[in-house]
Structure formats: structure tokens, C-alpha cells
Amino acid sequence: MSFATGFSSSLRTATSNGVVASSSSSSSSSSATAAVVRSFSLSARVYAKPRKQRNAADPMALRKMAKFNYDDVPTLGHAILARKREMLQLLRTVEFEIPKLSAFRQTYTPPKDKQYLKFRFQHFQGENHPASRKVVLSVNVDDLAKEGAVKDAKSKHKLLLLAGSRFHSKGRQEDADKGEIKISCELFPNERQNMKWCSDTLDALVSEANVRTNEIDELPLDPRAGLTRADKKRHYLRADRPSLRDFPKQWL
């Protein structure tokens, strides 16, 4: 009996005796005994509930669900109904909400001759899209020269050199210096900020183009960017694609 009692007590506590010695320069060493106690956790199996008892309070347990009697729409059917409800909501919006926009109707006024800057925005109605912040500025080079923003032909030539691939020519060799400059920006989260960046970039290009430098005036234009765009466009709008006129008449 004493052996069993001692064994159970050894499971609960473990005692070890240690000697702690402290020394000093003026006195002799003295020893002390300290007891270190370590506790063991004994959990009974009674507290461990089986899975059925743990799931007894779950209202969505599979054991509590009634047998499916094929009296309800399956999951795919509910998805189809949700899609139809969404379309019905859109039709209701078109029928009742969109006519209210007529109160914000404004008369269209065509731009004046001095308003030659064009800004392109794209919005996705009803949702946020990363492309909605992108702004594209396009301006005709001849309009800049006509309004006096570009001083002379040399300044215009330097402007086209500085624009680089942003200059979109008309494609014909005799009109290599005619076209428009496109500047796009989507660096900032707001479209107004991107619009301001495009405008400031164009102002910097024009102001730098009006500075005379003889070295740049002798450089030719680089047509590679325009040729690359024309080559990509040929796959969709080929200028040399065959038509009905090319069909041999002797085959008819």
C-alpha cells in the first residue's frame, strides 16, 4: 500500500534536492537546500467527449438534416434563380432609375478652335476597375504650331524627336511630320491627378522643344515605332487585302 501511495505521489510531484553554495571573501562558504517542485497535469478520460456529443449542439449537423424528398430546387437551380434575380434587378434599374438622369441633361457645345487638347477617360458604370483611372491625352502637332505653342519648323521637329514613340504619324512617308502626340498615365489613384500629369508632361515637351540646339536639329525622325504599329494593325485592317475586284473575271 505504501508502494502504491509513493508511486502515485511521484507522478504528481517530483522533488530534487540541490545544494546552493555562496562564497564571500570575508566568511566561509555556507550551504542551503532548495526544493524544486514540478507539477504534472492528469486529465481524466471522462472529460473527453466523443464526436457525437460535440456535434450534438450543431444545428447544421448532417445527422439532424431530414431526408431529401426531391421537393426542393438543387444547388444549380438556386444559382440560376439568383442569376435571374440579378437580371431582373438590372431591368428594374433601366426602367425606373435611368429616366431620372434626364434631370442632369446638358446641351452639347462643340469645342472651340483653341481647345485642341483631347482627354480620353473610360468608366465602368457600377463597379471599380483599375483601368478607370487611366487618362490619355492626344493633341495634333499642327494645332500646336497653328496656335503658336511651337515657334517654328525646327521646334516642331525637336518636339517630335522628344516625343519618340508617343508620336503617331499618319503613316504616309510624305506626311511623316504630321500626326498627333498621345500621352497616357495611370500612376495615380485619381483620374484628375493623371490628367494633370499628362498636361504637365506636354508643357515640358513644348517648352524644351522651343530651346534651340543645333545638334538635335540635324537628327532624323525614327520611324520604327510607327512601322511597328502599322505591322500589328495589318493583321486586322490590311490595306492590301484582296477584295472582289481582284477575283479573276475569266473564272466567272
Side-chain angles (χ1 to χ4, degrees):
M1 186 67 180
S2 61
F3 174 76
T5 305
F7 181 74
S8 61
S9 62
S10 63
L11 288 177
R12 290 179 174 83
T13 59
T15 306
S16 62
N17 297 329
V19 178
V20 180
S22 61
S23 60
S24 60
S25 59
S26 60
S27 61
S28 60
S29 62
S30 61
S31 61
T33 304
V36 180
V37 179
R38 181 181 179 186
S39 301
F40 291 89
S41 176
L42 297 177
S43 59
R45 297 182 60 184
V46 180
Y47 299 102
K49 296 181 180 180
R51 184 177 299 176
K52 292 182 180 180
Q53 296 182 10
R54 292 199 305 267
N55 297 337
D58 188 7
M60 299 300 295
L62 295 177
R63 295 179 179 272
K64 293 185 178 182
M65 296 183 65
K67 185 179 179 181
F68 184 68
N69 296 323
Y70 299 94
D71 55 350
D72 191 10
V73 181
T75 305
L76 182 59
H78 282 289
I80 296 175
L81 290 177
R83 179 61 178 172
K84 290 184 178 296
R85 293 190 190 99
E86 183 180 358
M87 293 299 298
L88 182 60
Q89 181 64 28
L90 292 176
L91 293 176
R92 288 173 178 170
T93 303
V94 172
E95 182 69 21
F96 300 106
E97 299 297 332
I98 291 183
K100 297 179 181 179
L101 297 177
S102 60
F104 304 95
R105 184 181 302 167
Q106 297 180 359
T107 305
Y108 172 73
T109 303
K112 301 179 181 179
D113 296 337
K114 294 184 178 181
Q115 299 175 349
Y116 47 84
L117 297 182
K118 301 178 183 178
F119 292 92
R120 181 174 65 86
F121 306 91
Q122 51 184 354
H123 295 158
F124 298 84
Q125 301 297 336
E127 60 177 309
N128 295 327
H129 197 276
S132 61
R133 63 186 180 185
K134 183 178 180 180
V135 179
V136 180
L137 166 64
S138 59
V139 56
N140 197 334
V141 181
D142 294 336
D143 293 338
L144 291 175
K146 182 179 179 181
E147 295 297 330
V150 181
K151 295 180 180 179
D152 48 12
K154 292 184 178 181
S155 299
K156 178 182 177 181
H157 180 73
K158 184 178 179 180
L159 176 64
L160 300 182
L161 289 175
L162 294 175
S165 60
R166 293 185 175 92
F167 172 65
H168 295 248
S169 61
K170 293 185 177 181
R172 291 174 294 184
Q173 187 174 3
E174 58 272 10
D175 298 334
D177 58 343
K178 294 183 179 180
E180 60 181 6
I181 296 176
K182 291 185 178 181
I183 302 175
S184 62
C185 179
E186 52 182 342
L187 299 175
F188 306 100
N190 195 341
E191 60 181 11
R192 294 293 180 180
Q193 295 174 323
N194 295 322
M195 178 181 176
K196 183 67 167 54
W197 186 91
C198 294
S199 179
D200 294 343
T201 304
L202 180 62
D203 294 341
L205 287 175
V206 172
S207 61
E208 183 65 26
N210 291 326
V211 178
R212 290 271 54 79
T213 50
N214 298 327
E215 295 82 1
I216 297 181
D217 295 341
E218 298 176 358
L219 295 177
L221 295 177
D222 189 3
R224 289 178 295 179
L227 294 176
T228 302
R229 284 191 293 266
D231 183 66
K232 291 181 179 179
K233 196 174 182 180
R234 285 184 58 188
H235 299 283
Y236 304 99
L237 300 174
R238 292 180 53 186
D240 57 345
R241 63 181 182 274
S243 62
L244 186 60
R245 296 179 180 179
D246 300 326
F247 193 83
K249 295 182 180 180
Q250 60 271 18
W251 289 8
L252 298 176

